[in-house]
Amino acid sequence: MPSDPSTLLLQPASMPWRLLFLLFLLGITQMTQAAGAPISLDAVSGRYDLNPVIEVLEDPGGKLNLADIQSKTVAEHSFEASSGGLSSFGFTNSAYWFRFSLSNPSPQARQMVLVLRAAWLDSIDFYQPTAVGNYSQRRFGDTLPFSQREHVHPQFLIDLLVEPGTHIYYLRISSQQAFMTPIELWEPEAFHRSDRLLGAYFGMFYGIMLVMVLYNGFIGLSTRDRNHLYYCLYLLAFVAMNFSYNGFAFQYLWPDSPRWLNWSYSSWIFLFQVVAILFAMTFLESRTRLPRMHKVLKVFLSAMLGTWFFTMASGNQLLYNASAVYFIFFMSPLISMSGITAWLAGYKAARFFVLASMASLLGSFITALTVSGFLPYSFSSFHAAEFGILVDVVLLSLALADRINVLREQKNAAELGVIEQKLLTHAWLEKAKNELEHTVQERTAELAKARDEAEHLARMDMLTGISNRRHFEEVSTQEFAWALRYRHPLSMILFDIDFFKLINDTYGHAVGDQVIKRVANAARDAVRELDLVGRIGGEEFAILLPEASMGQAIMTAERLREQIANLVFDHEGHTIGFTASFGVTQIGDGDKGIDTLLQRADQMMYAAKAAGRNRVCATPASFYD
């Protein structure tokens, strides 16, 4: 692999995948220094992630100045370490101060670039130490015209000259948009190499989106299918939203209109969601196929439009911006649920729609979580919506094509139905049809009955009528996975009949079979409906007790032991009695599978036999400590 990542762009055949891989690596690369520790600038590193080491101070009133921040006598103004390197603070009226230290061990000053990835921050004040001991201030933000930026770039780039020695820097940031501040420090040449990769990524992304808009628009105009036209609007709305919050709209469309820019961010997000709902309703034909879900979608759409216009009219920009993002948390599962409902209702064209919407809406959901402060910033999480939409455009194109095939099949079926209806006017065809249908129904019923019987026999122990070993292990494996995942209690009882070989040898196998059946019946009567009893060996039985603690399992085992000990029956003048030995255990954090429980219960059962039989032995409490 070339040492310079930018040379990868010279390999067209593998460019998209290499590009995405490099950008992903770029997004997850982080420093591991402690918060507040100075960052030492070395000659090797081209990028430093400041969020894990930066110190943060919240200014709820937004009234503090640098002198207040530097004051050591005001306890409530103390800086705190960044929590795990998180860069998101959600929606807030607070301003935030950031403090970080840079150490330049070389004798020459180092030219660096401070990069703030969020393109929608309203006000950024950067304080840099001067040679005379005070601080110089520079102001940035999207409330200022684009022409006042130091660099022609959609993100905020701040030139930073780091003199030899250790220096402390301050940032004050406020924003009515989602407060997200991924902050990075770059060596200029390394940044421009990385930025070329990022530019190539966006060029590829917007190029794909434009091609899909033109492709589906041409098909929509040719077939006059409004689904393709709604899909074009859906893609265009997403591009407008993405183009805006990535900073390109401010740079290229309205660089001198910061007020319009700040109100347009959330308008594009609202518009994207409105078009997504309309496209889903049209594609899924919800009015006729899903009348109840159609009403839900209409209510949600009305609520979203009402919130859009109400929050905009109220002038509360923070509420307006937060509403747009938080609606995504409801829209994403709602559209997915609609597609799944249509699919389950037999609408074949919904299958690709479900997969596409899952990818797209999951990506939007993750991006919304990131900008809302619920997830830490990374390139992958922030751009998840773009990755999802790329999958979406492929699958939804297949969905639209599949829908055309479905409509063609429906048309052909309708035409065939007309022909068949004419033929059915003849009496002999009607009679033959009825006889055939009757034969098919009988055969289908026979096959269904045979299938049900075969499935039942495959799960049942023929002698006792309880679960056989195979069925017991299948169900136990599922219950084990559920209990382990959700940390629910799960217990296991293993027992067998004492001296069963002696009973067989003395009275014969017929009597032995009677003993096994009586024990199985007793076990089935002694447990709850949700418990599972299985015969896993000759005279060996197991009981799975979901949602049962160790104490409950021991009580069940003791009760069953007493019942078995009281079972007697006569055979040719002999009174036959028998007992059983029990081992009890429960699931633990270190258990890897259901076999672990079976082995532990087996050990306890043999401990009961060693202790004299006809008793219950359980795993000691210290085992789980």
Side-chain angles (χ1 to χ4, degrees), residues 110-374:
R110 290 280 301 274
Q111 184 67 47
M112 305 295 288
V113 178
L114 192 66
V115 181
L116 279 70
R117 291 294 184 184
W120 56 80
L121 300 176
D122 293 344
S123 177
I124 305 168
D125 292 298
F126 178 65
Y127 297 90
Q128 179 173 351
T130 64
V132 296
N134 55 11
Y135 281 81
S136 64
Q137 178 184 2
R138 284 181 282 170
R139 174 159 290 183
F140 307 85
D142 67 2
T143 56
L144 303 174
F146 191 88
S147 58
Q148 295 188 18
R149 299 193 178 188
E150 292 183 354
H151 292 267
V152 181
H153 197 278
Q155 298 167 349
F156 297 105
L157 310 183
I158 303 175
D159 290 326
L160 178 59
L161 185 65
V162 184
E163 297 291 343
T166 301
H167 308 279
I168 298 176
Y169 301 82
Y170 293 89
L171 275 168
R172 180 191 182 277
I173 303 176
S174 62
S175 182
Q176 293 294 301
Q177 308 292 332
F179 203 119
M180 185 179 73
T181 58
I183 305 173
E184 302 164 2
L185 186 67
W186 286 82
E187 188 274 330
E189 183 178 355
F191 173 76
H192 291 303
R193 285 199 304 268
S194 169
D195 197 55
R196 284 194 293 271
L197 288 174
L198 189 62
Y201 161 78
F202 279 115
M204 178 188 70
F205 174 75
Y206 291 127
I208 292 174
M209 299 299 288
L210 177 61
V211 168
M212 297 307 297
V213 168
L214 294 175
Y215 168 75
N216 286 281
F218 175 79
I219 294 178
L221 293 175
S222 301
T223 61
R224 297 185 178 180
D225 182 1
R226 63 176 183 170
N227 283 282
H228 285 273
L229 300 180
Y230 270 113
Y231 184 50
C232 290
L233 292 176
Y234 170 76
L235 295 180
L236 289 173
F238 182 88
V239 169
M241 175 184 69
N242 184 272
F243 203 70
S244 177
Y245 71 65
N246 276 307
F248 298 113
F250 192 29
Q251 180 178 358
Y252 296 109
L253 301 181
W254 32 79
D256 298 320
S257 303
R259 179 174 175 79
W260 157 248
L261 168 75
N262 278 277
W263 282 97
S264 67
Y265 285 124
S266 296
S267 294
W268 298 122
I269 298 175
F270 271 121
L271 179 62
F272 166 68
Q273 295 181 79
V274 169
V275 176
I277 292 290
L278 292 174
F279 172 66
M281 294 168 66
T282 305
F283 182 90
L284 298 174
E285 300 175 358
S286 60
R287 184 186 299 274
T288 55
R289 294 181 180 274
L290 310 168
R292 293 184 179 177
M293 186 60 71
H294 182 76
K295 293 179 180 178
V296 174
L297 291 171
K298 286 180 63 177
V299 170
F300 181 83
L301 183 60
S302 300
M304 183 161 50
L305 289 171
T307 303
W308 182 2
F309 295 119
F310 172 79
T311 53
M312 180 182 288
S314 71
N316 188 332
Q317 193 170 3
L318 186 68
L319 177 62
Y320 176 61
N321 296 328
S323 300
V325 174
Y326 288 150
F327 260 103
I328 295 177
F329 299 146
F330 300 97
M331 180 205 68
S332 300
L334 181 60
I335 291 182
S336 298
M337 187 185 306
S338 301
I340 293 172
T341 304
W343 190 1
L344 295 177
Y347 187 37
K348 290 175 57 179
R351 52 189 175 179
F352 287 117
F353 178 89
V354 170
L355 297 176
S357 63
M358 288 280 188
S360 174
L361 298 174
L362 179 60
S364 299
F365 196 84
I366 293 174
T367 297
L369 288 174
T370 303
V371 300
S372 300
F374 297 106

Side-chain angles (χ1 to χ4, degrees), residues 444-457:
T444 301
E446 293 173 357
L447 291 174
K449 181 178 179 181
R451 181 199 60 207
D452 294 340
E453 291 177 353
E455 290 178 353
H456 178 68
L457 292 174

Side-chain angles (χ1 to χ4, degrees), residues 490-538:
L490 178 69
S491 298
M492 173 81 73
I493 299 174
L494 195 69
F495 68 97
D496 73 355
I497 304 168
D498 296 329
F499 303 110
F500 180 76
K501 186 176 184 303
L502 181 60
I503 294 174
N504 263 344
D505 294 340
T506 304
Y507 302 103
H509 290 286
V511 172
D513 290 345
Q514 287 297 318
V515 170
I516 288 175
K517 287 194 286 186
R518 287 172 180 262
V519 170
N521 291 335
R524 189 159 44 196
D525 294 339
V527 299
R528 304 167 300 175
E529 288 186 1
L530 62 90
D531 298 333
L532 179 66
V533 180
R535 182 187 178 196
I536 61 174

Side-chain angles (χ1 to χ4, degrees), residues 540-562:
E540 192 171 13
F541 299 84
I543 304 175
L544 186 72
L545 301 95
E547 305 294 335
S549 65
M550 173 69 85
Q552 293 170 321
I554 292 174
M555 290 175 60
T556 300
E558 284 288 356
R559 185 171 62 251
L560 179 56
R561 183 194 63 76
E562 292 178 1

Side-chain angles (χ1 to χ4, degrees), residues 364-417:
S364 299
F365 196 84
I366 293 174
T367 297
L369 288 174
T370 303
V371 300
S372 300
F374 297 106
L375 288 178
Y377 170 88
S378 69
F379 181 89
S380 305
S381 63
F382 180 66
H383 293 277
E386 296 160 10
F387 301 152
I389 203 72
L390 289 175
V391 178
D392 178 284
V393 296
V394 175
L395 293 177
L396 274 183
S397 296
L398 294 175
L400 289 168
D402 187 61
R403 185 178 180 276
I404 294 176
N405 292 331
V406 170
L407 293 176
R408 184 182 295 114
E409 291 174 2
Q410 292 175 348
K411 180 182 178 182
N412 293 338
E415 293 175 351
L416 183 62

